[in-house]
Amino acid sequence: MNAIVSKTHAAATRLPVLVIDDHPIVLQGCRRVLEDAGVETVAEATTVVGGYRIFHRLRPPVVICDLTFQGSGLAGLGLIRRMRAVAPATRILVFSMHNDPVIVSRALEAGALGYVLKDHASAELFDAFEKVRVGEVYLDRRLATEVAMLRTDARRTPETQLTPRERQILACLAQGRSYGAIAADLSVSYKTVTNACSQMRQKLGVRTLAELIHVAVTQAQRQG
């Protein structure tokens, strides 16, 4: 069900705010928070399609959106991209149960400006909304730290960490070749290969040859 609920507040904000979530209790809670924040008109949608239609019609300056919808998986990510493509100035706050930093990072990359977990107190949703609606980023300290660490790790890839020779050796490891075979193929000494593998383990933060081979195979799959 999609509906528009109008409320009056002493310091009312007349521009509508759209909430997209398929849980009635969540919608009710969001409405109370928005009323406390002085929002006069709250537009609600319980589906991705309904949410996009209302968004396209109202063009609200702020949207609060879940990521997961029944039967649609993480359809909220695509919805965020579509809304930002239509109206790049839209400020989107994700209100989700997912605390995985990978999902949080994907939401931010899709165009969300803030991210709040549903198991947190309503006061945090209020604070997040207040920041997002004036164009500020909102993440709690733990999520911000985990996302920053994730992005740092993402930059630690063979392309950015390794020399051309090390990348050659890594590619050979991905093919299951032994040190001796790699040395013969690349016309280098056995010691050169072992030293290179030791250097790669340090650069990539892995401790064993097995972990290094796992990195090599993963990298080969990405390129393939």
Side-chain angles (χ1 to χ4, degrees):
M1 178 185 295
N2 300 319
I4 297 179
V5 181
S6 296
K7 296 293 180 181
T8 303
H9 189 278
T13 298
R14 293 188 178 279
L15 292 175
V17 172
L18 173 59
V19 183
I20 308 172
D21 196 293
D22 58 1
H23 292 86
I25 294 177
V26 173
L27 291 173
Q28 183 179 5
C30 285
R31 190 186 311 124
R32 285 199 301 266
V33 168
L34 293 172
E35 290 171 359
D36 290 341
V39 176
E40 185 178 68
T41 304
V42 180
E44 296 177 356
T46 58
T47 66
V48 170
V49 173
Y52 184 74
R53 286 175 178 166
I54 292 178
F55 170 80
H56 200 274
R57 176 165 55 88
L58 296 181
R59 301 296 176 94
V62 182
V63 176
I64 298 176
C65 183
D66 195 0
L67 294 181
T68 306
F69 292 83
Q70 187 172 6
S72 302
L74 288 169
L77 291 172
L79 177 59
I80 291 170
R81 294 189 191 97
R82 290 182 68 192
M83 290 189 293
R84 286 299 304 274
V86 170
T90 301
R91 293 159 183 173
I92 300 173
L93 173 62
V94 171
F95 191 39
S96 172
M97 61 179 285
H98 294 288
N99 61 5
D100 186 335
V102 173
I103 294 177
V104 177
S105 183
R106 288 178 64 190
L108 297 176
E109 290 168 359
L113 197 57
Y115 198 107
V116 179
L117 297 175
K118 287 185 175 180
D119 59 0
H120 287 191
S122 59
E124 183 171 348
L125 178 59
F126 179 92
D127 292 341
F129 173 74
E130 288 294 301
K131 285 186 176 293
V132 166
R133 76 165 163 181
V134 297
E136 296 181 18
V137 175
Y138 184 89
L139 280 178
D140 71 34
R141 183 174 299 178
R142 182 183 65 80
L143 280 181
T145 299
E146 291 180 352
V147 169
M149 292 176 64
L150 181 69
R151 290 177 173 178
T152 297
D153 290 343
R155 290 194 293 269
R156 293 170 59 85
T157 61
E159 290 87 348
T160 59
Q161 297 291 310
L162 307 182
T163 67
R165 174 65 76 191
E166 288 168 343
R167 289 199 296 270
Q168 283 182 312
I169 293 173
L170 192 69
C172 290
L173 287 174
Q175 297 170 4
R177 304 186 71 77
S178 66
Y179 283 171
I182 294 172
D185 288 346
L186 301 180
S187 299
V188 297
S189 69
Y190 185 93
K191 186 176 181 179
T192 296
V193 175
T194 59
N195 287 344
C197 288
S198 178
Q199 289 293 324
M200 285 191 287
R201 287 199 300 272
Q202 292 180 16
K203 290 180 179 181
L204 299 175
V206 299
R207 292 175 298 176
T208 66
L209 176 61
E211 290 175 339
L212 183 60
I213 291 173
H214 175 73
V215 170
V217 172
T218 300
Q219 177 60 23
Q221 289 173 342
R222 286 199 193 106
Q223 294 178 340

